[in-house]
């Protein structure tokens, strides 16, 4: 990949949403948001990191504004949803991979400072010239798949407005997975090694509990997640909730390795991949009604030490450092497994374990004035 145009390092650092800091507390306790089995994996992984800040550090960065008018012609041409963050996240994942892992400026396998990683990673993601064609290609691919499905299942789309609604629906996890899998296949055909391609991951929320309400292709694809379990339940207040029972194998979080077409539980990731897949790791993340991308790397710390680090890229001005899915991604992907995990059922932990998150100062800086941020 040729050197990407982008903002200077000084401009880059003025566009931070949050400087690197220890993971702040989530909006609700993680225990209320993620199943216990996944949290136990996170605790084991963080416990295996010997550094001054065992939980590492997260930095968050604002790149392109997905609501900027520059994207409107694409949305109209490809009947794309107004919330097309999934396409932006996958495009960002591809560019991060080519910049940091497979390209001439690659930093694979070597610890780098957060400033160097921020400069390398943010430049292509802030470039409309680089992002726009990637985003359009992804829109075109998903549009082609959706129109093909409508053609093959025409009886499902007889009602007025159904076709438009289907084409304009938010991009689903399985659709983004298909794009990432195809991308990995294309890169492999160009000679990129499987070892590098395995560094692309996708953190997904388990959608199986929504199967009963699913229609069209989603209803055909959701059984891929059936083994992760979960079901809808009525809460005490009468609203609808989702229940996961880890003892039955249920998991609220799914880890995908697109290059291998693998959907994994956290313990399967921990046992088979967390110690062997190299750094930096590049992820597309479902952070909850929004998709983003991130790079996970090891920064130098002390004498021959490393600090697990996450650099998160967002296409809205919202701050996601307190979202549980970003923090789970940090605990799973920024950590290198250093101890042999136990996959057997664990007894209740007593005394109560240290919380995975803690209070931290987050510094908000003035955003750079840019035509893509107005």
């Amino acid at each position: 990949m040729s050197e990407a145009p982008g903002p200077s390092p000084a401009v880059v650092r003025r566009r931070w949403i949050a400087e690197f800091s220890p993971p702040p507390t989530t909006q609700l306790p993680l225990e209320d948001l993620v199943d216990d089995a996944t949290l136990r994996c996170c605790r084991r992984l963080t416990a295996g990191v010997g550094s001054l800040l065992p939980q590492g550090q997260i930095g968050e960065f604002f790149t392109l504004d997905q609501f900027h008018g520059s994207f409107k012609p694409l949305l109209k041409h490809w009947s794309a949803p107004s919330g097309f963050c999934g396409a932006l996240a996958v495009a960002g994942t591809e560019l991060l991979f080519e910049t940091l892992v497979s390209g001439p400026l690659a930093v694979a396998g070597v610890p780098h400072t957060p400033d160097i990683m921020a400069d390398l990673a943010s430049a292509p993601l802030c470039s409309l010239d680089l992002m726009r064609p990637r985003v359009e290609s992804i829109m075109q691919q998903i549009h082609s798949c959706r129109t093909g499905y409508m053609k093959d299942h025409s009886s499902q789309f007889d009602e007025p407005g159904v076709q438009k609604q289907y084409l304009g629906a938010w991009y689903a996890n399985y659709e983004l997975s298909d794009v990432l899998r195809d991308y990995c296949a294309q890169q492999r055909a160009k000679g990129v090694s499987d070892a590098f391609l395995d560094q692309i991951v996708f953190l997904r929320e388990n959608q199986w509990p929504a199967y009963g309400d699913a229609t069209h292709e989603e209803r055909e694809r959701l059984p891929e997640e059936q083994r992760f379990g979960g079901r809808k339940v009525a809460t005490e207040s009468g609203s609808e909730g989702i229940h996961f029972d880890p003892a039955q194998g249920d998991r609220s979080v799914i880890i995908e390795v697109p290059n291998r077409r693998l959907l994994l539980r956290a313990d399967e990731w921990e046992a088979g991949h967390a110690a062997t897949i190299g750094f930096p790791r590049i992820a597309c993340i479902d952070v909850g009604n929004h998709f983003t991308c991130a790079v996970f790397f090891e920064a130098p710390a002390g004498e021959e030490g490393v600090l697990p680090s996450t650099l998160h890229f967002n296409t809205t001005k919202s701050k996601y450092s307190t979202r549980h899915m970003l923090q789970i991604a940090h605990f799973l992907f920024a950590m290198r497994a250093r101890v042999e995990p136990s996959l057997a059922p664990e007894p209740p932990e007593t005394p109560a374990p240290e919380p995975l998150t803690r209070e931290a100062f987050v510094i908000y800086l003035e955003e750079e004035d840019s035509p893509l941020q107005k």
Side-chain angles (χ1 to χ4, degrees):
M1 172 180 170
S2 60
E3 185 172 353
S8 68
V11 171
V12 164
R13 295 193 184 105
R14 284 201 297 271
R15 295 174 70 171
W16 284 106
I17 294 176
E19 286 192 337
F20 276 100
S21 60
T25 55
T26 50
Q27 294 159 328
L28 292 172
L30 279 176
E31 290 77 7
D32 293 346
L33 300 167
V34 183
D35 67 271
D36 292 342
T38 297
L39 286 181
R40 285 197 295 270
C41 288
C42 292
R43 290 192 180 99
R44 287 195 296 268
L45 287 168
T46 55
V49 179
S51 66
L52 296 177
L53 287 175
Q55 297 182 66
Q57 56 184 357
I58 296 177
E60 191 168 13
F61 191 85
F62 174 55
T63 55
L64 301 183
D65 182 1
Q66 70 181 58
F67 302 110
H68 190 267
S70 299
F71 294 109
K72 288 184 178 179
L74 298 185
L75 302 181
K76 182 178 180 180
H77 184 75
W78 298 111
S79 304
S82 58
F84 65 104
C85 51
L88 285 161
V90 171
T93 299
E94 294 177 2
L95 283 172
L96 285 173
F97 177 77
E98 292 170 27
T99 301
L100 301 176
V101 180
S102 67
L105 300 178
V107 295
V110 180
H112 280 75
T113 66
D115 282 349
I116 290 177
M117 293 296 287
D119 291 348
L120 288 174
S122 60
L125 301 192
C126 291
S127 169
L128 185 63
D129 291 338
L130 291 176
M131 284 288 287
R132 182 185 168 108
R134 298 269 181 160
V135 169
E136 182 169 19
S137 176
I138 293 164
M139 288 180 175
Q140 181 180 8
Q141 182 175 346
I142 295 177
H143 181 271
S144 177
C145 291
R146 290 183 174 184
T147 53
Y149 183 87
M150 290 192 302
K151 181 179 179 181
D152 294 340
H153 302 80
S154 56
S155 62
Q156 298 182 21
F157 298 91
D158 290 337
E159 296 292 328
V162 175
Q163 290 190 19
K164 182 178 180 180
Q165 182 180 16
Y166 178 66
L167 287 174
W170 281 28
Y171 296 142
N173 280 339
Y174 65 83
E175 291 176 311
L176 302 182
S177 290
D178 289 346
V179 176
L180 287 169
R181 292 171 181 181
D182 288 348
Y183 173 76
C184 288
Q186 293 162 7
Q187 292 295 303
R188 192 184 311 110
K190 294 178 180 179
V192 179
S193 70
D194 283 324
F196 279 168
L197 290 168
D198 287 347
Q199 292 173 222
I200 299 175
V201 290
F202 184 10
L203 189 69
R204 302 166 45 167
E205 287 193 323
N206 178 3
Q207 301 292 310
W208 172 248
Y211 176 74
D213 301 322
T215 59
H216 307 312
E217 186 180 11
E218 184 179 31
R219 189 167 180 83
E220 298 179 14
R221 295 293 299 272
L222 279 184
E224 297 170 9
E225 303 179 28
Q226 183 174 4
R227 80 178 185 94
F228 298 95
R231 57 188 174 86
K232 288 188 175 182
V233 296
T235 65
E236 293 180 358
S237 63
S239 60
E240 192 175 69
I242 299 176
H243 175 72
F244 296 95
D245 182 359
Q248 300 297 319
D250 296 354
R251 298 293 189 274
S252 59
V253 173
I254 298 173
I255 299 161
E256 179 173 5
V257 183
N259 184 48
R260 306 288 178 176
R261 296 178 175 265
L262 288 176
L263 297 181
L264 305 168
R265 301 192 309 257
D267 56 295
E268 293 169 332
W269 162 263
E270 178 190 10
H273 305 275
T276 57
I277 289 181
F279 286 93
R281 296 164 179 173
I282 313 298
C284 179
I285 306 174
D286 176 0
V287 292
N289 297 318
H290 186 50
F291 291 97
T292 59
C293 59
V295 55
F296 306 86
F297 62 100
E298 295 176 323
E303 293 185 7
E304 301 183 0
V306 293
L307 186 62
S309 303
T310 295
L311 180 54
H312 177 241
F313 296 97
N314 187 16
T315 53
T316 74
K317 295 182 180 180
S318 299
K319 302 170 180 67
Y320 283 85
S321 57
T322 58
R323 294 292 183 95
H324 71 284
M325 287 295 280
L326 176 57
Q327 297 203 2
I328 292 299
H330 173 72
F331 297 136
L332 292 174
F333 301 145
M335 311 295 168
R336 185 192 298 270
R338 303 178 190 276
V339 294
E340 186 68 23
S342 170
L343 301 184
E346 299 178 13
E349 300 179 14
T350 54
E354 288 293 319
L356 276 172
T357 56
R358 56 187 164 189
E359 294 289 349
F361 289 106
V362 179
I363 303 173
Y364 301 115
L365 303 181
E366 183 176 352
E367 290 147 349
E368 176 68 11
D369 187 18
S370 163
L372 291 181
Q373 299 183 46
K374 292 181 179 177

